[in-house]
Amino acid sequence: MDMIKVGRFISTKRKEQNLTQMQLAEKLSITDRAVSKWECGKALPDSSIMIELCEILNISVNELLTGEEIEMEKYDKQVEQNLIEMVKQKEESDKRLLNIEIILMVISLICFISIIVVMAAVEMPLWAKILIGVGGFIQLIAATLVSFRIEQKAGYYECQNCHETFIPTFKQSSFAKHKGRTKYMKCPCCGEKGYCKKVLVLNKKTK
Ligand SMILES: [Zn+2]
């Protein structure tokens, strides 16, 4: 997906509608900085507002993602290409997120261990020790919560029984027994409990 091209297309279409970045942003209840980011090719519009944006700009979502107007004959082919591209981008961003999770937990653990070492080694009043200790503990908990969130949201879990992929609830994935990223959960599709593997690709059930 060519984000620069998409950005230029948004900008052209916005001007055709005689809208300023600010006016477009207001219509979508977002900041004009977000609009400016799209137009510079630094970000894609969030999927939640894509349809509304396309209605305002009088284009199809397919044209938005392609960054140009599409002739009717080429339309279906372009839809497929864009879909594949979107799936690829999600896979890549999920992979990045899962790597960030590892880095986050390593940094957080190093911080926590350093704090404990400092507390043990350095002479300081009790209240200071408690304050630092609590601080260290809170950052560890916060990092753990963020990493739970990433694990739940990035990619999917694959049931080893029916091989359906699914996204568990935050509670389900956070409290599940796990071996690495593999978690013991109940599959929402077949209802069987088992160890579900983390996968990046959505598995469509073949019937
Ligand atoms: Zn299943």
Side-chain angles (χ1 to χ4, degrees):
M1 202 155 294
D2 187 343
M3 281 168 51
I4 303 270
K5 195 173 163 197
V6 172
R8 278 202 204 116
F9 188 55
I10 294 174
S11 167
T12 310
K13 286 290 154 184
R14 171 178 62 74
K15 285 169 195 157
E16 273 178 30
Q17 302 293 324
N18 286 319
L19 290 169
T20 62
Q21 287 189 346
M22 183 65 111
Q23 285 166 331
L24 178 60
E26 267 169 22
K27 276 177 186 279
L28 293 162
S29 314
I30 53 169
T31 62
D32 56 334
R33 266 197 53 191
V35 175
S36 152
K37 264 191 179 170
W38 307 336
E39 295 191 358
C40 296
K42 284 185 192 144
L44 278 178
D46 200 69
S47 59
S48 59
I49 54 165
M50 233 177 228
I51 290 177
E52 210 184 334
L53 171 67
C54 289
E55 272 169 14
I56 296 169
L57 299 180
N58 204 14
I59 54 175
S60 70
V61 172
N62 194 25
E63 287 174 319
L64 174 83
L65 295 174
T66 311
E68 63 188 15
E69 285 168 28
I70 304 164
E71 296 163 39
M72 256 352 236
E73 307 94 75
K74 293 185 189 156
Y75 207 86
D76 287 347
K77 204 163 172 84
Q78 193 61 53
V79 168
E80 277 166 18
Q81 257 177 29
N82 283 341
L83 274 175
I84 291 167
E85 191 73 23
M86 293 279 272
V87 169
K88 226 175 18 191
Q89 282 198 354
K90 174 159 165 43
E91 276 172 36
E92 273 163 20
S93 90
D94 282 351
K95 211 189 278 172
R96 262 200 304 275
L97 270 176
L98 290 170
N99 288 335
I100 289 172
E101 184 203 355
I102 295 173
I103 296 165
L104 177 74
M105 281 320 290
V106 168
I107 291 174
S108 178
L109 275 173
I110 291 172
C111 280
F112 189 66
I113 292 165
S114 325
I115 284 168
I116 294 193
V117 170
V118 168
M119 272 167 66
V122 180
E123 202 63 50
M124 64 175 102
L126 184 64
W127 64 264
K129 283 195 178 188
I130 291 172
L131 204 67
I132 294 173
V134 169
F137 193 63
I138 288 174
Q139 70 84 21
L140 187 65
I141 296 282
T144 306
L145 284 176
V146 171
S147 85
F148 277 177
R149 192 80 191 163
I150 292 175
E151 273 201 14
Q152 179 218 356
K153 287 270 179 185
Y156 313 89
Y157 284 96
E158 184 186 335
C159 167
Q160 294 307 291
N161 181 47
C162 70
H163 296 285
E164 188 75 24
T165 47
F166 64 95
I167 296 174
T169 62
F170 184 60
K171 206 174 135 192
Q172 193 186 13
S173 95
S174 304
F175 289 106
K177 268 194 291 180
H178 63 95
K179 300 176 185 165
R181 290 203 199 281
T182 302
K183 297 196 170 185
Y184 188 80
M185 290 183 291
K186 187 175 170 183
C187 166
C189 312
C190 67
E192 287 289 316
K193 280 186 181 172
Y195 280 97
C196 303
K197 247 202 270 172
K198 180 85 176 166
V199 290
L200 288 174
V201 184
L202 185 66
N203 195 7
K204 243 196 192 161
K205 201 170 188 174
T206 39
K207 280 182 183 162

